[in-house]
Amino acid sequence: MLSITMARVWSSIDPEEVADWNRMQTDCYLPEERLCIFALLAGKPVWHSSDAEVNVCSMLDWKRCLAVHLWFMLPPTASVADALTRYEAAFKGSDEEGKYACAPLPSYMEAEPMDMEEEEEKEECKRPLYDLCFHLLKLYSDRHYSLQQLLDPLTITWERLDYRLSWHLWGVLQALHYSHLSASRQGLLHSSYAAQLEGVGLWHLAVFILMHIPDHIQRERAVRDMLTLHCPLQETDESVRRERFLTEKLLIPEQWIHEAKATRARCDADRHQEALHLYQAKRWNQCHRLLIQHLASDCIINDNHDYLLEFLEGLAVPEHSATIQDWDTAGRVYLDYIRVIKMLHEIQQTENAGYELERLHSEVTSLCSRIELLPCSTARDRLAQSEMAKRVANILRAVLSLQQSDEGAASIPLTQLAPHITRLPMPEDYALDELRGLTQSYLRQLIVSS
């Protein structure tokens, strides 16, 4: 068939003249290609000649069919919307000439031949599927045209779940102030494209996609879920680079990342990593509860005081401890216990530490009445409490001994030692040892006084 551009150089033909050829049956002497050109110039999409029916659009794709209607079937003042209306009637069969143009199928469907019967059956079983360019022309003609079918991936590709171009196209449409897409369809766009990126390992870019969800509650939940699934506990160069992208480029709060890592550590039963990330996430109450329930007793039993002290000193800040439940009867007791041990060690290495001894004495006596308040739910907790009680008793005895040596006295006054020792929660064997020592000291004092 001759080119459309070649046909446009011909002058227009009066439709009545074409009708005269048909009546006189002179059109049978013209080749079919030339008859197509004459019918086109006459504005006749379908011409019933003497020998056969000539369809101007029979060998054209849908874009050329639309162009033919815009250039030849309508007056020069017609708009793109008018051409679309005429073309739609042509491929749907609502025109007086019947169905003479091909439907605007996506390019991947145009490559597969389909006869009219198959096409009609397909349209009957489901809604029509048209090319993306056709939908864009419809949107250009009608600003309120449905965006849902325009952004359907099947208008672009046979991959039903490939939302790449659909998502980016939605961003362009938003920039052009097209906003009449329902919230549920927007959510489908974002979540589907994010799932694609997540499936190929680009979860940090999936977070970028999820950041476009309009509703802030749904957006935060979706981003947090993605971080929980993919933030690794073990740091690598790649993980550091991705976390830097999240915090510096996307402005994701670091607290969210640490909370995600704490959740992963809990799933892996890694209590130490969980406590660390809860602390970095500023979840003071959860971090304190984890320390008391799972880590503090082991630290006391194994004398790993420095590890526990790093957490407790941060939790002891007034702004933090004010939000912690049972801080005074749990975390603060452990903290004071470790500080007392370190204070005694420092005093023993210095001279003339009278003021420090007085302060240490008050700290130790206060601690004696608070150790029994520690929560003990396991045998390990009770063992740690007993070790703390025994060590505090020894510290109190050492403090009183240092005070007496400064005053020139030879023995420790039982009236200052016994009331505090009896309040410590010791097991029976520890309590019997302390009672035996107190009894012997009391007898020695009686002998000396007599």
Side-chain angles (χ1 to χ4, degrees), residues 36-291:
C36 281
I37 295 175
F38 287 148
L40 180 65
L41 295 176
K44 289 287 187 178
V46 179
W47 183 18
H48 299 279
S49 67
S50 301
D51 294 336
E53 183 178 273
V54 177
N55 183 357
V56 172
C57 300
S58 61
M59 302 297 293
L60 302 180
D61 60 27
W62 77 267
K63 295 176 185 176
R64 288 182 172 85
C65 288
L66 176 62
V68 163
H69 285 80
L70 179 64
W71 294 336
F72 297 101
M73 308 299 175
L74 295 172
T77 57
S79 64
V80 174
D82 297 331
L84 278 173
T85 302
R86 184 75 181 273
Y87 168 64
E88 279 193 84
F91 74 78
K92 290 181 178 179
S94 57
D95 190 84
E96 60 181 5
E97 301 293 346
K99 186 175 182 179
Y100 60 86
C102 63
L105 298 177
S107 57
Y108 65 91
M109 295 182 66
E110 285 183 338
E112 301 178 359
M114 181 183 299
D115 57 25
M116 288 293 183
E117 293 182 0
E118 291 180 352
E119 188 173 346
E120 289 176 359
E121 291 177 0
K122 189 166 186 178
E123 289 184 356
E124 288 177 0
C125 67
K126 64 176 186 178
R127 63 178 176 80
L129 185 62
Y130 300 142
D131 187 81
L132 172 63
C133 294
F134 177 78
H135 291 296
L136 288 174
L137 287 171
K138 293 288 288 184
L139 182 64
Y140 171 77
S141 304
D142 179 10
R143 189 172 183 84
H144 301 287
Y145 183 72
S146 172
L147 295 180
Q148 178 175 336
Q149 52 184 337
L150 185 150
L151 296 173
D152 191 331
L154 292 177
T155 63
I156 309 162
T157 174
W158 60 272
E159 292 283 356
R160 186 178 294 273
L161 300 180
D162 187 356
Y163 280 83
R164 291 175 294 176
L165 186 56
S166 297
W167 188 86
H168 290 285
L169 179 59
W170 168 235
V172 174
L173 293 175
Q174 282 183 301
L176 297 175
H177 306 291
Y178 291 96
S179 58
H180 56 283
L181 184 65
S182 65
S184 60
R185 297 301 299 184
Q186 292 185 47
L188 178 63
L189 275 178
H190 299 313
S191 60
S192 299
Y193 189 26
Q196 277 187 268
L197 294 171
E198 182 186 8
V200 295
L202 301 176
W203 62 268
H204 60 298
L205 296 180
V207 173
F208 168 73
I209 302 302
L210 295 174
M211 290 292 290
H212 291 77
I213 297 176
D215 185 82
H216 72 279
I217 297 177
Q218 296 180 1
R219 179 173 63 248
E220 179 177 342
R221 181 168 58 248
V223 170
R224 283 175 174 266
D225 290 343
M226 186 67 68
L227 294 175
T228 302
L229 286 173
H230 296 286
C231 276
L233 285 176
Q234 300 298 327
E235 286 191 356
T236 62
D237 293 340
E238 179 65 17
S239 67
V240 171
R241 184 183 66 82
R242 290 187 174 187
E243 289 180 17
R244 187 179 298 116
F245 168 77
L246 294 175
T247 56
E248 296 179 1
K249 299 295 184 180
L250 304 186
L251 302 181
I252 299 292
E254 291 188 17
Q255 180 179 350
W256 292 7
I257 296 177
H258 289 298
E259 287 180 1
K261 290 185 175 183
T263 302
R264 178 171 290 273
R266 183 164 61 252
C267 294
D268 296 342
D270 190 341
R271 304 295 186 184
H272 296 280
Q273 286 287 339
E274 183 182 357
L276 174 63
H277 289 294
L278 284 175
Y279 182 85
Q280 293 176 332
K282 300 180 181 179
R283 295 295 184 180
W284 315 120
N285 194 46
Q286 292 90 324
C287 180
H288 173 262
R289 183 168 58 250
L290 177 66
L291 287 173

Side-chain angles (χ1 to χ4, degrees), residues 312-329:
L312 294 177
E313 285 184 335
L315 298 176
V317 176
E319 293 80 6
H320 304 165
S321 61
T323 63
I324 298 176
Q325 185 178 5
D326 299 329
W327 165 253
D328 290 332
T329 59

Side-chain angles (χ1 to χ4, degrees), residues 314-355:
L315 298 176
V317 176
E319 293 80 6
H320 304 165
S321 61
T323 63
I324 298 176
Q325 185 178 5
D326 299 329
W327 165 253
D328 290 332
T329 59
R332 185 177 177 182
V333 177
Y334 285 108
L335 178 61
D336 291 344
Y337 170 75
I338 297 173
R339 285 176 173 175
V340 161
I341 294 175
K342 292 185 175 296
M343 192 182 302
L344 177 62
H345 181 70
E346 293 173 358
I347 290 176
Q348 289 175 338
Q349 295 179 349
T350 59
E351 297 180 358
N352 299 324
Y355 172 74

